[in-house]
Amino acid sequence: MLHRLSALDRLLPVWIAAAMVAGLLLGNLIPGLDDALDAVAIGSVSLPIAVGLLVMMYPVLAKVRYDEAGQVTADRRLLITSVALNWIAGPAVMFTLAWVFLADLPEYRTGLIIVGLARCIAMVLIWNDLACGDREAAAVLVAVNSVFQILAFSALAWFYLQILPRWLGLETTSAGFSVWTVAVSVLVFLGVPLLAGYASRTLGERARGREWYEARFLPRAGPWALYGLLFTIVVLFALQGETVTSRPADVARIAVPLLVYFVVMFAGSFALGYRLGLGYPKTTTLAFTAAGNNFELAIAVSIAVFGVTSGQALAGVVGPLIEVPVLVALVYAALAARRRLYPREFAT
């Protein structure tokens, strides 16, 4: 199935690893890099990082067929189940794992909780397509997550970082935590590319038609998501170099709960879709949209709230390195489950 990906996407784990190494080298070879990156900022985020974040978000959101969002109401079970998994189960599972595995590392723990709140809107479309999921359902659920994220992210961040820990007698975030900063970050780093994606699809289809837009425009715009991601990782790892090289065990500890999260969310969501009788395509879409996370947004929020060299930002950066190989493996797991659990659909 991987041959259906472009060379850029197929080798994404390699590019991410190369970007990390490049960032570490730059951080060690160029003195004063922190001051240079912070010389110009958008809010509390340095301009180079802000540009990278916006560039990587736009192509994915430009792929969404916004005019088909109304189709969500055609299958209430899929919509309600997806919303529950994404906005109730997902954050709760990540909160639990963060406290179980990182109770003694509050910065990384907080970073993971923020990752759990940033629901999928990016590479999940690729994994869903490779696993023969329902493309239109995935696009609609991604659109729903995009809008819901703007409306709910800051409130959920406040709940999981301050209210729920206080109820449970656990440590809360620092007094410097600002719900308003999170809200602004979401509006800028999700709202801006969301509006740009909607505008480009609407204007592009109106001017040249859907066939031209999806066959000609999107293939040209698509690679920029990877370019933006790699650029951002280079810059972040240039600033995180000392932490990565001096405390590799911490990086490994961040990876463990992420790995558990992906497997638990995917397997649980797939089993639920099977029990609900959604059929293989929609069950697969449900599972991937529940397991995937928007690391771009998590990184943006962590940088804006806690700083570019914070442990929270590092937790977000480690995310894509774990997500990519794990979700590729889950593509094969889904196809194997199709042969076993849906023999009739597999035969057709």
Side-chain angles (χ1 to χ4, degrees), residues 22 35 84 145 165 209 218 248 261 293 301 321:
D35 295 335
N145 276 342
L218 288 182
Y261 172 84
N293 287 84
V301 170
L321 187 65

Side-chain angles (χ1 to χ4, degrees), residues 53 56-57 121-123 229 293-301:
L53 292 169
M56 75 168 120
M57 296 284 281
I121 65 169
M123 291 289 287
L229 174 64
N293 287 84
N294 181 5
F295 286 102
E296 299 89 343
L297 178 61
I299 292 170
V301 170

Side-chain angles (χ1 to χ4, degrees), residues 15-16 18-24 26 33 37 45-58 189 224-241 295-304 308-309 313-314 316-318 320:
W15 306 136
I16 290 179
M20 292 169 58
V21 172
L24 293 175
L26 288 174
L33 186 60
L37 290 174
V45 180
S46 67
L47 180 60
I49 294 177
V51 171
L53 292 169
L54 292 173
V55 168
M56 75 168 120
M57 296 284 281
Y58 164 73
F189 293 106
W224 284 95
L226 175 58
Y227 302 153
L229 174 64
L230 295 179
F231 174 78
T232 304
I233 289 176
V234 169
V235 176
L236 286 172
F237 267 81
L239 297 173
Q240 295 281 2
F295 286 102
E296 299 89 343
L297 178 61
I299 292 170
V301 170
S302 295
I303 291 172
V308 70
T309 59
L314 178 61
V317 172
V318 173

Side-chain angles (χ1 to χ4, degrees), residues 66-153:
Y66 295 93
D67 61 336
E68 298 181 1
Q71 294 181 3
V72 172
T73 59
D75 193 334
R76 296 293 182 86
R77 292 181 305 166
L78 177 64
L79 173 61
I80 294 173
T81 304
S82 178
V83 170
L85 287 170
N86 273 283
W87 298 103
I88 299 177
V93 169
M94 189 68 87
F95 175 87
T96 302
L97 292 173
W99 273 100
V100 168
F101 287 95
L102 300 172
D104 59 330
L105 296 171
E107 288 192 0
Y108 301 150
R109 184 185 67 231
T110 299
L112 277 189
I113 293 173
I114 292 175
V115 168
L117 299 175
R119 310 312 302 166
C120 67
I121 65 169
M123 291 289 287
V124 66
L125 296 174
I126 294 177
W127 313 130
N128 177 76
D129 188 53
L130 287 175
C132 302
D134 189 316
R135 293 178 180 176
E136 302 309 316
V140 170
L141 294 180
V142 164
V144 170
N145 276 342
S146 301
V147 175
F148 205 95
Q149 211 153 85
I150 293 177
L151 299 176
F153 187 98

